[in-house]
Amino acid sequence: MSEQTISGTTAEAPHAGGGGHHHPQPTSFFRRYVWSYDHKVVGKQYLITSLCFMLLGGGLAMLLRWQIAYPFVPVPFIGHWLKGMFFFGNNGAITPEGYLELGAMHGLVMIFFVVIPLIVGGFGNFLIPLHIGAEDVSFPMLNALSYWLYAAASVPMLLSFFVDKGAAAAGWTNYPPLSDIAGASPSSLGLTLVLVAIYLAGFSSILGGVNFLVTIAKLRAPGMTWGRLPLLTWAQFITAVFQCLATPMLAAGASMLIFDRVFHTSFFLPSGLMVGGAAAANSGGGYPLLWQHIFWFYAHPAVYILILPTMGIASEILTTFSRKPVFGYKAMVISLASIMGLGFIVWGHHMFVSGMNPMLGMAFMVSTIFIALPSGVKVFNWLGTLWGGNIRFDSPMLFALGFISMFIIGGLSGIFMASTPADIYLHDTYYIIAHFHYIVFGATIFAVFGGISFWFPKFFGRMMNEPLAKLHWLLTLVFFNLTFFPMHFLGEAGHMRRLATSTDYEFLNSLAGLNVFITWSAYYLGLSQLIFVFNFFHSMFYGKKATENPWQGNTLEWTLPSPVPYYNFDVPPVVYRGPYEYSSEEAGDKDWISQSTPPVPGMTPAKH
Amino acid sequence: MEMTANATEAAFHRKRADMRRFGMWLFLGSEVMFFTGFFAAYIVIRSASAGSIVQPLNKALGTLNTVILITSSFTMALAVLASKKGDRKGLVNWMGLTWILGVVFLCVKGVEYAQHFSEGIYPSTDIFHAFYFLFTGFHALHVIAGLVVMGVLWFRARRGDFNETYNDPIEMMGLYWHFVDLVWIFLYPALYLL
Ligand code: HEM
Ligand SMILES: [Cu+2]
């Protein structure tokens, strides 16, 4: 980092973020808010775009729930307006094809257009350079490009709703042959468009991953050793490794699937396939199972892309609001890394019933149960952080506590499903839906809400409204559990997922009441989110003006004004200590000490 | 003051080159994973249908293309060397030659494709040709992307943009080009010889 010292001697200091020399902030609207190289603007672009897509994905889920509770009953209002369009039949009820389309698109939108861009693109872009004391990411132009690739990906995705026969309808996992032959699933062009969208979104994610890895490895401020890196940035680093090494596998699989659909190859189609009573025109010679392997080789690591960054967010919040150092910093980093290592060898747990050599199934079962170990280490360390802390129950903390609780429930159900004998029964039931919603909504989205309220001052220079945020937390926690906990019972009773016609099965009749209950809980859960939407936009313009360090945090972003100025740090910061030295002796009468505070003479600095 | 400014400039280029080099390696790592997906699928399907696939490709053209691409990797290495020495003429000539070899490679590939199509062979013909077009198609896309960037760099090199201290775009180009070559070196035996 000696270069930075050299550069400090000239009037025109080079831009640490590789893009060129110190330029004044652009004045045109286009360069400032649209094609901006500023990591903070790119982060906000990701944040706001993905939150908008969350409304879309959530809306689709509301319709899904209507069909499950009231099969083939016309949907009030919406069904009436959109009769015969999209997912609706001529009487305004959801058609079976429409139901499949809703389900597939809900999953695809939420994973590829909401959670990944939100927690990696949004939080990662905004916070990584601030956390490591840099002016920007390594490749600011590439950063803008990855946002716009993501935005471009949404075009074919949105377009697919409007083409003949609608959007993708073969599950978010797109298993062939259903996803492969035009006649097999309800959708035709729409599915191809969605695959193209996933392709573009994946490319954007790879470029983002490369950028983050280089940024964290090369642009840390003097003194910011690996052992002083905030845990959120560590988590983003590990996530970026997944993005670089696992996402290309999805691109490979999607390429082959697109070839199958467009050029009529047979990578995933066996010989002698019958479709609709006639022999398929394809030559055959491929394997449907091949897709499952390729897809899950990507998609299991991808579920970790969906959680690791928010584990980092939770760690930052928990330590700040417990006024205590993170318990077991090293163990936290090691467990992140071992989740990454193990994450690449467990994909087969999604395929226990797909037809696998039982010995192989055994291996996947063991590796999957092993992955619960580092996850457990993290949970215990979070609890250790809270233990004996001087806890402040502000809204970010409430959400972080929600995160831990929901993560424990979701992690426990994961262990049941990891054991092959149990999973043979549970697979493809609502139990799976309960499991991953506990993790992706209960944990990830809770941490996102907490993170937004925590860093709102840095994002927008204002505070969110606390009472509203707390109300939002309470309602979300209650209705979330009312919605998703009963799904465990549905699953145990054998209720299949991806099923538009539950009334056709006599053994499901007794569950109809529970389904109605879940649907109404889901509607209240959905309505509660409007509080957040209001709070977010209202506080952005009318919230209380934030001070520099409203939560008394130690990491470098809290040394900057709120909102953060264009070039972040006027003077390149020097780091002297770890990120979590709360309540240390050196702090004097405060209970926090910023990472850039030099050692106090005559005191022994805390180890780091 | 002049001295410091130059030192700053050089330090800045060094730092940026360092980041770009690391970024390029990571990007190539992800590219390796991309082609690994194809190769894994190919290995699974080829080994399961052992014997039922009779090698149908034109070995002569495939071998010719292998020679062309390896040669172009060599000329690219010479271009990078020239740019490190600040030898503008050498850089322009060697990179120009590399570009021409890349275009020749694509032309040969085009002749092969034309032959297949005239014989009525398409990706949908059978699973072998599906892989053949998948592999060579994506490889050709990588060659085309490389040639576009190389073309831009060639004009910049002729204009004299690069010197001893600032030449990392050429180095990156070299890394990428060797990667494209390397992929072909795996493709050639897998498709034409096995
Ligand atoms: C303790 C750690 C975990 C274990 C042991 C575990 C185990 C499993 C198993 C065995 C399945 C397959 C069940 C089946 O389809 O029959 C599964 C599905 C799933 N898991 Fe987990 N899991 C864990 C953590 C996570 C995390 C952290 C996430 C995401 C953030 C996640 C997201 C998912 C998703 C989305 C599915 C369903 C995929 C689908 O079929 O559509 N899981 N999990
Ligand atoms: Cu998994």
Side-chain angles (χ1 to χ4, degrees):
Chain A
M1 277 285 161
S2 57
E3 292 90 328
Q4 281 206 342
T5 336
I6 300 173
S7 67
T9 59
T10 57
E12 203 196 34
H15 186 342
H21 297 267
H22 242 308
H23 298 292
Q25 181 169 21
T27 45
S28 77
F29 179 82
F30 180 74
R31 285 305 312 273
R32 205 158 164 171
Y33 299 110
V34 183
W35 179 251
S36 167
Y37 290 174
D38 180 356
H39 72 100
K40 297 183 290 298
V41 176
V42 176
K44 285 185 219 173
Q45 286 174 327
Y46 267 115
L47 181 78
I48 290 175
T49 316
S50 53
L51 286 175
C52 292
F53 279 123
M54 199 192 280
L55 290 177
L56 170 65
L60 299 179
M62 299 293 114
L63 291 174
L64 278 169
R65 279 312 317 177
W66 179 265
Q67 170 71 10
I68 302 169
Y70 306 108
F72 306 114
V73 175
V75 181
F77 312 117
I78 305 172
H80 184 75
W81 295 327
L82 299 177
K83 256 182 212 154
M85 291 160 75
F86 300 110
F87 334 98
F88 303 100
N90 288 332
N91 64 347
I94 294 167
T95 60
E97 298 79 25
Y99 178 82
L100 293 179
E101 188 182 334
L102 285 166
M105 291 310 287
H106 165 69
L108 288 163
V109 168
M110 284 300 194
I111 289 179
F112 292 108
F113 288 90
V114 178
V115 178
I116 297 179
L118 180 57
I119 65 182
V120 176
F123 282 94
N125 263 310
F126 193 87
L127 289 167
I128 290 174
L130 301 182
H131 268 170
I132 63 175
E135 283 177 9
D136 207 315
V137 292
S138 287
F139 310 115
M141 188 173 101
L142 201 65
N143 208 20
L145 188 68
S146 33
Y147 171 75
W148 283 104
L149 267 173
Y150 158 60
S154 67
V155 175
M157 188 273 287
L158 291 172
L159 207 62
S160 74
F161 284 106
F162 297 91
V163 300
D164 184 33
K165 294 187 183 163
W172 83 276
T173 52
N174 289 309
Y175 279 10
L178 198 58
S179 61
D180 203 318
I181 308 182
S185 95
S187 48
S188 61
L189 177 61
L191 183 46
T192 311
L193 284 173
V194 170
L195 288 172
V196 171
I198 295 176
Y199 214 87
L200 292 173
F203 195 39
S204 146
S205 175
I206 294 174
L207 295 182
V210 168
N211 214 341
F212 286 179
L213 287 175
V214 179
T215 305
I216 299 173
K218 303 281 181 191
L219 287 181
R220 279 168 293 127
M224 180 58 85
T225 57
W226 288 99
R228 288 175 178 164
L229 219 51
L231 284 175
L232 171 55
T233 298
W234 258 116
Q236 294 283 6
F237 187 81
I238 306 274
T239 306
V241 175
F242 274 135
Q243 285 171 266
C244 285
L245 297 184
T247 313
M249 207 47 133
L250 175 71
S255 307
M256 291 195 259
L257 202 51
I258 292 174
F259 257 59
D260 273 8
R261 293 185 65 84
V262 177
F263 302 119
H264 308 292
T265 53
S266 305
F267 292 112
F268 304 123
L269 294 177
S271 310
L273 186 71
M274 304 286 286
V275 180
N282 300 59
S283 72
Y287 292 97
L289 264 188
L290 188 61
W291 166 263
Q292 296 189 23
H293 280 289
I294 294 178
F295 179 77
W296 288 115
F297 183 88
Y298 158 75
H300 183 83
V303 305
Y304 285 100
I305 298 178
L306 303 179
I307 192 86
L308 293 187
T310 55
M311 287 178 163
I313 293 176
S315 302
E316 302 297 330
I317 295 177
L318 287 169
T319 163
T320 309
F321 291 86
S322 305
R323 318 308 298 160
K324 265 184 68 197
V326 160
F327 184 86
Y329 176 92
K330 270 209 187 111
M332 288 297 224
V333 175
I334 293 171
S335 54
L336 279 175
S338 42
I339 287 178
M340 176 185 77
L342 287 168
F344 278 109
I345 55 164
V346 299
W347 78 90
H349 63 215
H350 296 276
M351 301 171 56
F352 287 144
V353 298
S354 303
M356 204 186 338
N357 181 331
M359 285 312 284
L360 200 57
M362 172 84 145
F364 280 122
M365 164 172 141
V366 172
S367 59
T368 304
I369 291 176
F370 266 120
I371 216 168
L373 226 84
S375 316
V377 168
K378 298 200 77 81
V379 170
F380 282 113
N381 284 351
W382 287 321
L383 297 181
T385 307
L386 293 170
W387 189 265
N390 184 6
I391 298 179
R392 299 180 182 168
F393 291 100
D394 295 295
S395 61
M397 184 61 161
L398 294 178
F399 278 110
L401 294 172
F403 166 94
I404 309 182
S405 324
M406 302 300 106
F407 181 73
I408 292 176
I409 299 179
L412 285 178
S413 58
I415 298 179
F416 290 99
M417 292 154 25
S419 7
T420 322
D423 189 62
I424 288 173
Y425 180 76
L426 294 172
H427 180 72
D428 247 338
T429 68
Y430 266 83
Y431 198 88
I432 287 25
I433 310 276
H435 160 70
F436 67 72
H437 283 91
Y438 262 90
I439 300 209
V440 184
F441 193 145
T444 298
I445 301 296
F446 265 61
V448 164
F449 287 141
I452 288 177
S453 137
F454 188 53
W455 282 292
F456 207 79
K458 294 296 147 187
F459 275 118
F460 303 111
R462 293 173 186 273
M463 306 296 286
M464 274 185 112
N465 180 305
E466 261 300 288
L468 277 183
K470 283 181 173 153
L471 180 68
H472 170 230
W473 169 79
L474 182 70
L475 295 178
T476 306
L477 186 73
V478 169
F479 290 118
F480 169 79
N481 281 289
L482 291 181
T483 305
F484 290 100
F485 201 81
M487 288 190 190
H488 292 109
F489 307 138
L490 287 184
E492 281 160 15
H495 197 309
M496 300 79 100
R497 63 192 277 205
R498 297 176 179 159
L499 182 65
T501 53
S502 47
T503 38
D504 285 2
Y505 297 83
E506 206 172 317
F507 76 100
L508 297 178
N509 284 349
S510 63
L511 302 170
L514 194 53
N515 265 329
V516 172
F517 175 80
I518 292 178
T519 292
W520 283 100
S521 307
Y523 289 161
Y524 289 119
L525 178 62
L527 283 178
S528 314
Q529 304 318 305
L530 298 181
I531 304 176
F532 172 79
V533 175
F534 171 80
N535 197 357
F536 186 85
F537 288 106
H538 189 264
S539 306
M540 206 155 130
F541 298 106
Y542 305 106
K544 201 174 86 206
K545 280 247 161 56
T547 55
E548 200 170 82
N549 192 357
W551 315 113
Q552 286 106 37
N554 287 350
T555 41
L556 293 177
E557 75 271 30
W558 304 113
T559 62
L560 297 171
S562 303
V564 180
Y566 183 57
Y567 264 111
N568 301 349
F569 300 92
D570 266 349
V571 186
V574 179
V575 174
Y576 295 98
R577 51 185 80 244
Y580 306 121
E581 295 182 9
Y582 290 102
S583 307
S584 91
E585 273 184 20
E586 279 182 283
D589 47 2
K590 304 177 301 193
D591 68 349
W592 56 278
I593 186 158
S594 161
Q595 283 193 278
S596 58
T597 311
V600 181
M603 292 234 189
T604 34
K607 260 203 227 100
H608 256 300
Chain B
M1 198 57 212
E2 187 54 23
M3 269 313 288
T4 0
N6 278 340
T8 312
E9 193 70 18
F12 167 69
H13 284 319
R14 254 203 318 279
K15 170 106 200 154
R16 196 170 62 173
D18 186 38
M19 293 196 299
R20 284 181 174 172
R21 202 174 293 122
F22 186 40
M24 193 63 185
W25 278 109
L26 289 169
F27 177 69
L28 294 182
S30 77
E31 287 273 27
V32 167
M33 286 306 286
F34 178 69
F35 282 100
T36 300
F38 292 165
F39 273 106
Y42 183 64
I43 291 168
V44 169
I45 289 183
R46 262 315 275 267
S47 55
S49 49
S52 65
I53 292 174
V54 183
Q55 189 39 257
L57 298 176
N58 185 334
K59 280 201 180 85
L61 289 182
T63 312
L64 173 65
N65 249 352
T66 309
V67 173
I68 293 172
L69 213 54
I70 292 181
T71 313
S72 80
S73 224
F74 184 66
T75 54
M76 188 69 221
L78 290 174
V80 173
L81 210 68
S83 81
K84 293 235 149 108
K85 286 196 295 216
D87 169 8
R88 183 162 125 197
K89 197 154 151 270
L91 168 62
V92 170
N93 289 342
W94 287 121
M95 201 159 61
L97 188 56
T98 313
W99 195 86
I100 291 169
L101 286 171
V103 172
V104 173
F105 172 89
L106 285 179
C107 293
V108 174
K109 200 74 240 161
V111 170
E112 270 187 90
Y113 271 29
Q115 271 181 9
H116 299 314
F117 295 150
S118 71
E119 291 165 15
I121 291 176
Y122 297 98
S124 57
T125 302
D126 58 28
I127 190 71
F128 177 82
H129 285 94
F131 273 109
Y132 167 78
F133 281 105
L134 180 79
F135 270 127
T136 55
F138 272 97
H139 180 263
L141 280 182
H142 279 78
V143 173
I144 292 169
L147 289 178
V148 170
V149 177
M150 201 189 291
V152 174
L153 288 180
W154 187 81
F155 279 104
R156 286 187 58 193
R158 206 177 57 160
R159 200 170 65 189
D161 277 7
F162 305 112
N163 53 45
E164 292 95 324
T165 48
Y166 175 58
N167 50 41
D168 51 288
I170 307 291
E171 194 190 331
M172 299 306 112
M173 189 66 233
L175 281 177
Y176 178 84
W177 198 253
H178 297 319
F179 165 78
V180 170
D181 187 25
L182 192 73
V183 171
W184 181 262
I185 289 176
F186 278 95
L187 283 190
Y188 168 66
L191 291 175
Y192 289 83
L193 302 182
L194 281 180

